[in-house]
Amino acid sequence: MEGGHGGRERRREKGWEGGGVWRGRLRDKRREAPGFPVACRAMPGGMEERYSKAETLALRRKHIGPSCKVFFAKDPLKIVRAQGQYMFDETGEKYLDCINNVAHVGHSHPYVTKAAAKQMELLNTNSRFLHDNLVQYAQRLTATLPEKLSVCYFVNSGSEANDLALRLARQYHGHQDVITLENAYHGHVTSLIDISPYKFNQLGKDSKKEFVHVAPSPDIYRGKYREDHPDPASAYAEEVKKIIEETQKNGRKIAAFIAESMQSCGGQVIPPVGYFQKVAEYVRAVGGVFIADEVQVGFGRVGKHFWAFQLQGEDFVPDIVTMGKPIGNGHPMSCVVTTREIAEKFGASGLEYFNTFGGNPVSCAIGLAVLEVIEKEDLQGNATRVGSYLLELLVEQKKKHPLVGDIRGIGLFVGVDLVKDQQKRTPATAEALHLIYKLKEQKILLSADGPYRNILKFKPPMCFTVEDAKHVVETIDVLLTEIEEATGMKTGNDAPTNAQCKIKANEGSPQPESANESTSHLNGAACRQENGFYPEKHSVPSKTIRT
Amino acid sequence: MEGGHGGRERRREKGWEGGGVWRGRLRDKRREAPGFPVACRAMPGGMEERYSKAETLALRRKHIGPSCKVFFAKDPLKIVRAQGQYMFDETGEKYLDCINNVAHVGHSHPYVTKAAAKQMELLNTNSRFLHDNLVQYAQRLTATLPEKLSVCYFVNSGSEANDLALRLARQYHGHQDVITLENAYHGHVTSLIDISPYKFNQLGKDSKKEFVHVAPSPDIYRGKYREDHPDPASAYAEEVKKIIEETQKNGRKIAAFIAESMQSCGGQVIPPVGYFQKVAEYVRAVGGVFIADEVQVGFGRVGKHFWAFQLQGEDFVPDIVTMGKPIGNGHPMSCVVTTREIAEKFGASGLEYFNTFGGNPVSCAIGLAVLEVIEKEDLQGNATRVGSYLLELLVEQKKKHPLVGDIRGIGLFVGVDLVKDQQKRTPATAEALHLIYKLKEQKILLSADGPYRNILKFKPPMCFTVEDAKHVVETIDVLLTEIEEATGMKTGNDAPTNAQCKIKANEGSPQPESANESTSHLNGAACRQENGFYPEKHSVPSKTIRT
């Protein structure tokens, strides 16, 4: 590469270093900036810390939008290194990561890093040039999906994916309206805030757009039809049908029904089997499509299947699947996969779709590496084994602790619903938040999610082990006991087990009899903040808690 | 990292390899997929090609959305490697890249690659944890901007950035309406298609939303007020004022005026100095903000300044600046920078803004590396020197070739407007397309852009050299002569030079007397496809052209 020789000389002559308001300022600021000497502190592992934690925090307050929150706001973590399921702070302290579903195959996986570096050294350009990585990755990714889902659009984030899914759906038959689930969160761009009740509900009562229709969350623990209903799948699907009939009467036309295959932010709601099939039937009958949002839950997290929508059965195939978080193990990339028919209709508008970074050779190399690691390390098998064991341990906790209202999950996507009262199912919000902070003191990172932030949410890197599961549950056991004692709740009661929770305690062989039996249902509603943000101050349970 | 030991055995037992519609298909497909033996071809440089070009193309047609176009559709390029300003195809053929403004500091820059790999090995996680890279990068990036632009939001693409800019603007005073320029393109997500006439105009006459207002492009070559107007800046700003007055009458409220600091896709329109100041004044007077879209043109491409909006003068400061393409040299990342006041208003809604990948330590390390390379290699100085030299050579071509209607540009952002008739300024669309294909035969990658696709558009990696400039212009000279001879146009005429083009031919010392003198203006209107897509078949000029 050329260019630049003799440049500095000329730049000086031309007044580069001279006056001018912002240039003068730049020069001053550059003294603090990279490439200029700053005081660095030695950190464990031979790394250097550029700023103290207090300085980092001060700079963050100065330069990062206040809407961007940190975990554990009253004492945020500064993480400098991570490996597998562990994160390390600036003092070398090691944390067990139970929440990071983006670092899917494990933090800093060397195979993924090497694939990225190797391709970066060769080429990183846009998809208007032919490249083997793009087509190989598309081929490999569609091979994980039912036959008819064969056409890919590579984009950069779950939000870009869901937005494009809406564009595809709307172009398909020229319809505009969208049915979404209560408490749903589908992304941060304007079009997705519009269809995310979890977000727009915070903006006031008139914030729902007329083209948006909100269906009840298929939540058999807190929803309209519960675990005692004979056929909750049909009952919840019927609610969608009613919405469709209503919109038809008003001359509106449904473009899409969109739902996470398991509602994560909305409280880890696992829809009853058969619900998606019926919804898809009703929606397609009026020219709409079914969008399965797998941004949080895809890529083998559920263990038995590669995609969470496959929990509904092999007779269910969405029209559009959107992907995100785990797809590149942290690298910004994402994908929308759809049918040939929908893709052709989208193309027929004549409008080109160009995404500058989407599908570049580096992103595709990373995507391929992630798929290879999932397979080579049998991370789906691991999710099934460890997830089942974790569920089993947690079910034991439910028997012991009145605070535990329900356990549900599948693979390494597990929720623990904390309640103040087992019968009334009163969310134990303060207790959950307190527990999260106490777990952090024990070097365990877990989040509380759901609309009441009372649900402990496990979504660890897929290399999570049975030992990790054992350690975290044992710690939770101690902490729950402390909270219950402090608040006068009786520990060790024989609280009734949720009917949906069918895990057999089978110590030493944490293998469920079938994948269905490792699924447990409960809770609907939506978290106040996606992905487990904690406020600056948290209220503690009413009575004093020993710490 | 643990997990996975003994997994494959168990997986087989559990039916992983067994029946099931999609699983059976996956197994078959995996034979063609990574990790499984496939025939590879040796390529120059010891690389291996997984598929033949025909196979790559066939797989692309099968698995990539038909809306995603390739360059040179009738004979697409398969690029396997790139370095600096050069790209290499699968046969080892070397192409001079004059179009890739994403590979800003040069393709595969080793400093950037190393920074990425080093950080990937350590940590890549979300911005809810404190990290030095995030704050250091925010500090370094804001140091290139006027003082009041101090708050960053890190996102993944130019589209995410512009969408967030709209959200910030709308939250600021609760207004909704947006003023955009004719032919503008601001991104591919729904909210940006809405404000991109270049896109929505293709969707039929009723496609403009009522909250969108389109102002004339400040184009002094083809626009309403041309180079002979005494004060085109004020005249075009007055058009915006009229729109504002009209909206006020109708009870509508302006949230933002958005414009690229130089309209790239719209035909490389360089707005007259003073236009932005006046527009900002009118827009702010009614509670709106000024969004400068620097996605295509930022990061020193204009040479003298780091940001293209700074060409308007130091008395102009936008309220929001959006970034994109060049920011990470191809890595998917992007940023929105705004004022403390706007950021606080956005935060006051209580809605968290969380972007999963935005601001992760790897993206920030890459962003820092790009800034360092721009500075260390004096790429701004190079853009000024080489860009000025390129303009100078092109002005010579204008004197010689009747096909050259106008030359305009600043730094390494240069346009050559091809016309059939100098007086009528009739766009020479077919000739431009033909030229582009002939240049490709000569191993030079250039694009034709603008609404009539008659504008040759230079936006090369910033390491482009004077030798590169000389080579491409000499080749263009030969090809233009051929086209003119074939079509009966007289070469070597004394066509009048556009009044705005003030470059002094000053061979051997390609330095303009001042940066202003290296700026040349012409053309408005919008390209049919952003970034220079070419259709499957292109029409050639009416007479036979020697090839």
Side-chain angles (χ1 to χ4, degrees):
Chain A
M1 218 173 49
E2 295 169 284
H5 38 279
R8 195 165 299 271
E9 274 309 300
R10 186 165 311 194
R11 199 167 62 162
R12 288 225 177 84
E13 284 163 30
K14 299 300 290 179
W16 174 275
E17 301 290 345
V21 174
W22 75 268
R23 269 173 295 145
R25 200 174 144 263
L26 167 63
R27 202 178 57 237
D28 290 338
K29 282 205 179 183
R30 272 155 54 191
R31 295 205 183 104
E32 314 160 29
F36 293 80
V38 293
C40 288
R41 291 158 192 81
M43 284 194 297
M47 289 178 293
E48 285 182 339
E49 193 188 7
R50 187 167 291 272
Y51 309 110
S52 71
K53 188 170 169 180
E55 286 167 337
T56 307
L57 198 52
L59 279 169
R60 181 166 170 130
R61 289 200 175 116
K62 187 174 178 190
H63 288 305
I64 304 297
S67 308
C68 306
K69 306 296 189 185
V70 291
F71 278 124
F72 307 108
K74 66 171 192 167
D75 181 24
L77 276 174
K78 183 169 180 178
I79 296 294
V80 300
R81 185 165 75 82
Q83 204 171 2
Q85 63 275 46
Y86 300 107
M87 304 185 93
F88 300 85
D89 73 9
E90 80 286 5
T91 69
E93 203 67 71
K94 176 172 151 183
Y95 291 82
L96 175 62
D97 181 1
C98 306
I99 55 176
N100 206 321
N101 59 343
V102 173
H104 192 61
V105 301
H107 288 282
S108 317
H109 198 293
Y111 191 79
V112 178
T113 301
K114 272 177 202 153
K118 189 179 165 195
Q119 185 57 50
M120 279 190 84
E121 282 166 13
L122 273 183
L123 174 69
N124 188 12
T125 193
N126 67 61
S127 64
R128 280 181 173 138
F129 299 103
L130 299 178
H131 198 279
D132 286 351
N133 287 9
L134 176 73
V135 298
Q136 188 186 4
Y137 185 46
Q139 188 183 41
R140 181 74 179 82
L141 197 56
T142 54
T144 66
L145 284 159
E147 189 90 33
K148 65 179 275 202
L149 291 165
S150 64
V151 182
C152 302
Y153 298 84
F154 290 102
V155 297
N156 305 303
S157 66
S159 288
E160 283 196 359
N162 279 332
D163 181 89
L164 179 57
L166 290 185
R167 289 189 61 200
L168 288 163
R170 284 173 170 151
Q171 186 70 32
Y172 189 46
H173 283 133
H175 299 178
Q176 288 304 310
D177 287 22
V178 177
I179 303 174
T180 186
L181 293 181
E182 57 180 339
N183 311 315
Y185 175 65
H186 294 291
H188 54 68
V189 299
T190 307
S191 64
L192 303 176
I193 301 289
D194 281 351
I195 62 160
S196 297
Y198 150 69
K199 285 285 183 182
F200 71 65
N201 280 345
Q202 294 182 57
L203 295 172
K205 65 184 172 64
D206 297 327
S207 56
K208 190 180 82 58
K209 301 277 167 68
E210 57 177 4
F211 61 81
V212 178
H213 312 283
V214 182
S217 176
D219 169 2
I220 59 168
Y221 185 73
R222 294 188 192 276
K224 197 167 176 179
Y225 310 106
R226 299 193 171 182
E227 67 275 8
D228 54 355
H229 190 283
D231 184 5
S234 298
Y236 279 114
E238 204 63 29
E239 293 286 327
V240 176
K241 195 179 179 188
K242 274 188 228 163
I243 288 172
I244 293 170
E245 286 164 356
E246 194 66 27
T247 54
Q248 298 286 102
K249 267 187 230 160
N250 298 331
R252 306 201 64 93
K253 290 175 175 174
I254 301 297
F257 170 89
I258 185 169
E260 286 187 276
S261 299
M262 301 188 300
Q263 214 173 15
S264 60
C265 180
Q268 313 213 187
V269 178
I270 303 174
V273 170
Y275 172 68
F276 281 179
Q277 286 89 329
K278 288 192 172 67
V279 168
E281 181 193 331
Y282 302 148
V283 169
R284 286 170 186 154
V286 294
V289 303
F290 191 112
I291 303 170
D293 178 342
E294 293 268 346
V295 170
Q296 294 254 16
V297 296
F299 288 88
R301 178 159 295 275
V302 299
K304 190 187 176 194
H305 301 288
F306 203 78
W307 303 104
F309 72 78
Q310 293 169 324
L311 291 169
Q312 291 275 311
E314 290 186 1
D315 58 331
F316 173 68
V317 179
D319 301 297
I320 301 174
V321 173
T322 59
M323 305 167 185
K325 296 181 188 288
I327 187 170
N329 217 44
H331 181 78
M333 59 184 286
S334 172
C335 189
V336 181
V337 185
T338 189
T339 64
R340 171 60 52 189
E341 191 189 355
I342 290 172
E344 295 287 356
K345 278 276 184 74
F346 190 60
S349 77
L351 227 55
E352 184 189 3
Y353 181 79
F354 177 62
N355 189 305
T356 300
F357 305 128
N360 71 70
V362 174
S363 295
C364 291
I366 290 171
L368 280 163
V370 169
L371 292 181
E372 287 174 38
V373 174
I374 292 172
E375 187 174 316
K376 282 179 184 165
E377 298 186 5
D378 185 28
L379 294 180
Q380 280 186 254
N382 192 60
T384 295
R385 287 186 299 278
V386 179
S388 300
Y389 180 63
L390 176 62
L391 278 170
E392 191 181 322
L393 295 178
L394 288 169
V395 167
E396 289 303 310
Q397 294 299 305
K398 180 170 155 52
K399 288 182 191 154
K400 188 172 170 187
H401 296 287
L403 266 172
V404 179
D406 192 34
I407 308 294
R408 62 182 169 282
I410 172 80
L412 283 172
F413 189 79
V414 173
V416 179
D417 194 306
L418 298 186
V419 295
K420 288 181 176 176
D421 183 306
Q422 296 265 350
Q423 259 60 44
K424 293 179 188 162
R425 301 180 180 182
T426 323
T429 304
E431 290 79 357
L433 190 57
H434 182 79
L435 182 65
I436 290 301
Y437 268 91
K438 299 304 285 183
L439 281 167
K440 181 197 166 209
E441 285 175 15
Q442 300 301 317
K443 316 304 175 202
I444 292 170
L445 304 178
L446 197 66
S447 70
D449 212 332
Y452 311 108
R453 288 150 98 179
N454 66 312
I455 298 157
L456 308 182
K457 188 175 171 182
F458 291 82
K459 43 169 189 160
M462 295 272 282
C463 52
F464 207 68
T465 65
V466 290
E467 291 76 19
D468 297 327
K470 194 157 179 284
H471 171 60
V472 65
V473 175
E474 281 174 359
T475 310
I476 286 172
D477 185 12
V478 172
L479 293 172
L480 284 178
T481 304
E482 283 181 5
I483 295 172
E484 286 162 348
E485 283 178 9
T487 55
M489 286 178 107
K490 191 188 154 203
T491 299
N493 74 336
D494 230 342
T497 302
N498 185 289
Q500 291 292 320
C501 193
K502 294 170 182 165
I503 298 296
K504 283 170 67 174
N506 190 10
E507 215 167 344
S509 169
Q511 191 68 18
E513 291 191 6
S514 81
N516 272 352
E517 289 190 345
S518 69
T519 311
S520 175
H521 296 269
L522 159 96
N523 185 298
C527 49
R528 300 303 298 170
Q529 308 288 352
E530 73 272 24
N531 214 8
F533 152 72
Y534 311 110
E536 294 256 354
K537 287 177 183 162
H538 74 280
S539 53
V540 291
S542 50
K543 296 202 182 182
T544 308
I545 295 179
R546 290 178 305 171
T547 55
Chain B
M1 217 172 48
E2 296 170 283
H5 37 278
R8 194 165 301 270
E9 274 308 300
R10 186 166 310 195
R11 198 164 62 161
R12 287 222 178 85
E13 286 162 28
K14 298 300 291 179
W16 172 275
E17 301 289 345
V21 174
W22 74 267
R23 271 173 294 147
R25 200 174 144 265
L26 166 65
R27 201 178 57 238
D28 290 337
K29 282 205 178 182
R30 273 156 50 191
R31 294 204 185 105
E32 317 159 27
F36 293 80
V38 293
C40 288
R41 292 158 192 81
M43 284 194 297
M47 287 178 293
E48 284 181 341
E49 193 188 9
R50 186 168 290 271
Y51 309 110
S52 72
K53 188 169 168 180
E55 285 168 337
T56 307
L57 197 53
L59 279 168
R60 181 165 170 131
R61 289 201 175 114
K62 187 175 177 189
H63 288 305
I64 304 298
S67 309
C68 306
K69 306 297 188 185
V70 290
F71 277 124
F72 308 108
K74 66 173 190 165
D75 182 25
L77 277 173
K78 183 170 180 177
I79 296 293
V80 300
R81 184 165 75 82
Q83 203 171 3
Q85 64 275 46
Y86 301 108
M87 303 186 93
F88 301 85
D89 73 10
E90 80 284 6
T91 69
E93 202 69 71
K94 176 172 149 183
Y95 291 82
L96 175 63
D97 180 0
C98 306
I99 55 176
N100 206 320
N101 60 341
V102 173
H104 193 61
V105 301
H107 288 281
S108 317
H109 197 293
Y111 190 78
V112 178
T113 302
K114 270 176 204 154
K118 190 180 165 197
Q119 185 57 50
M120 278 190 83
E121 282 166 13
L122 272 182
L123 174 69
N124 188 13
T125 194
N126 68 61
S127 63
R128 280 179 173 140
F129 299 103
L130 299 179
H131 199 279
D132 286 349
N133 287 8
L134 177 72
V135 298
Q136 189 187 4
Y137 185 45
Q139 187 183 41
R140 180 75 179 85
L141 197 56
T142 54
T144 66
L145 285 159
E147 189 90 32
K148 64 180 274 202
L149 292 165
S150 63
V151 183
C152 302
Y153 298 84
F154 290 103
V155 297
N156 305 301
S157 67
S159 289
E160 282 195 0
N162 279 333
D163 182 89
L164 179 57
L166 290 184
R167 290 189 61 200
L168 288 163
R170 284 172 170 153
Q171 186 69 33
Y172 188 45
H173 282 135
H175 299 178
Q176 287 304 311
D177 287 22
V178 177
I179 303 174
T180 186
L181 293 181
E182 56 179 339
N183 310 315
Y185 176 65
H186 292 292
H188 54 69
V189 299
T190 307
S191 64
L192 302 177
I193 301 289
D194 281 350
I195 62 160
S196 297
Y198 150 67
K199 284 285 182 183
F200 70 66
N201 280 344
Q202 294 181 58
L203 295 172
K205 65 183 170 64
D206 297 327
S207 56
K208 190 181 81 60
K209 301 275 168 67
E210 58 177 2
F211 61 81
V212 178
H213 312 282
V214 182
S217 175
D219 170 3
I220 59 167
Y221 185 73
R222 294 187 192 277
K224 198 169 176 178
Y225 310 107
R226 299 193 172 181
E227 66 276 9
D228 55 355
H229 190 283
D231 185 5
S234 298
Y236 279 113
E238 203 64 27
E239 295 284 327
V240 175
K241 195 179 178 188
K242 274 188 228 164
I243 288 172
I244 293 171
E245 286 165 356
E246 193 65 26
T247 53
Q248 298 286 102
K249 267 188 230 160
N250 299 331
R252 306 200 64 93
K253 289 174 177 176
I254 301 297
F257 171 90
I258 183 168
E260 284 187 275
S261 299
M262 302 188 299
Q263 215 173 14
S264 60
C265 181
Q268 310 209 199
V269 178
I270 303 174
V273 171
Y275 172 67
F276 282 180
Q277 287 88 328
K278 288 191 171 67
V279 168
E281 181 192 329
Y282 302 148
V283 169
R284 285 170 187 155
V286 295
V289 302
F290 191 111
I291 303 170
D293 177 343
E294 292 268 344
V295 170
Q296 294 254 15
V297 296
F299 289 88
R301 178 159 294 277
V302 300
K304 190 187 176 193
H305 301 288
F306 202 78
W307 303 105
F309 73 78
Q310 292 168 325
L311 291 169
Q312 292 275 311
E314 290 186 0
D315 58 329
F316 174 67
V317 179
D319 301 296
I320 301 174
V321 173
T322 60
M323 304 168 187
K325 297 181 188 286
I327 187 170
N329 216 44
H331 182 78
M333 59 183 288
S334 173
C335 188
V336 181
V337 184
T338 191
T339 64
R340 170 61 50 190
E341 192 189 356
I342 290 172
E344 296 288 354
K345 279 277 183 74
F346 190 62
S349 78
L351 227 57
E352 183 189 4
Y353 180 80
F354 176 63
N355 189 305
T356 301
F357 305 129
N360 70 70
V362 174
S363 295
C364 292
I366 290 172
L368 280 163
V370 169
L371 292 181
E372 286 174 39
V373 174
I374 292 171
E375 187 174 317
K376 283 178 185 166
E377 299 187 5
D378 186 27
L379 294 180
Q380 280 185 255
N382 192 61
T384 295
R385 286 186 299 279
V386 178
S388 301
Y389 180 64
L390 176 62
L391 279 170
E392 191 181 321
L393 295 178
L394 289 169
V395 166
E396 288 302 311
Q397 294 299 304
K398 179 168 155 54
K399 288 182 192 156
K400 188 172 169 187
H401 295 288
L403 266 171
V404 179
D406 193 33
I407 307 294
R408 61 182 169 282
I410 172 80
L412 284 172
F413 190 79
V414 173
V416 179
D417 195 305
L418 298 186
V419 295
K420 287 180 178 175
D421 183 305
Q422 295 267 351
Q423 259 60 44
K424 293 179 188 161
R425 302 181 181 182
T426 323
T429 304
E431 290 80 356
L433 190 56
H434 182 79
L435 182 65
I436 291 301
Y437 267 91
K438 298 305 286 183
L439 283 167
K440 181 197 167 210
E441 286 176 15
Q442 300 300 318
K443 316 303 174 202
I444 293 171
L445 305 179
L446 198 66
S447 69
D449 212 332
Y452 310 108
R453 288 151 96 180
N454 65 313
I455 298 157
L456 308 183
K457 187 175 172 181
F458 292 81
K459 42 168 189 162
M462 295 273 282
C463 51
F464 207 69
T465 66
V466 290
E467 291 76 18
D468 297 328
K470 193 157 180 281
H471 173 58
V472 65
V473 176
E474 280 173 357
T475 311
I476 286 173
D477 186 11
V478 172
L479 293 171
L480 285 178
T481 303
E482 284 180 4
I483 296 172
E484 285 161 347
E485 283 176 9
T487 55
M489 284 180 110
K490 192 188 154 204
T491 298
N493 74 337
D494 231 340
T497 303
N498 185 290
Q500 290 292 319
C501 190
K502 295 171 183 163
I503 298 297
K504 285 171 64 175
N506 191 11
E507 215 167 342
S509 169
Q511 192 67 20
E513 291 192 6
S514 82
N516 272 352
E517 290 192 343
S518 70
T519 311
S520 176
H521 295 267
L522 158 99
N523 186 299
C527 51
R528 300 300 300 167
Q529 308 288 353
E530 74 271 25
N531 213 8
F533 153 71
Y534 311 111
E536 295 254 354
K537 286 174 185 166
H538 74 282
S539 53
V540 292
S542 50
K543 298 199 182 183
T544 309
I545 293 178
R546 290 177 306 170
T547 55

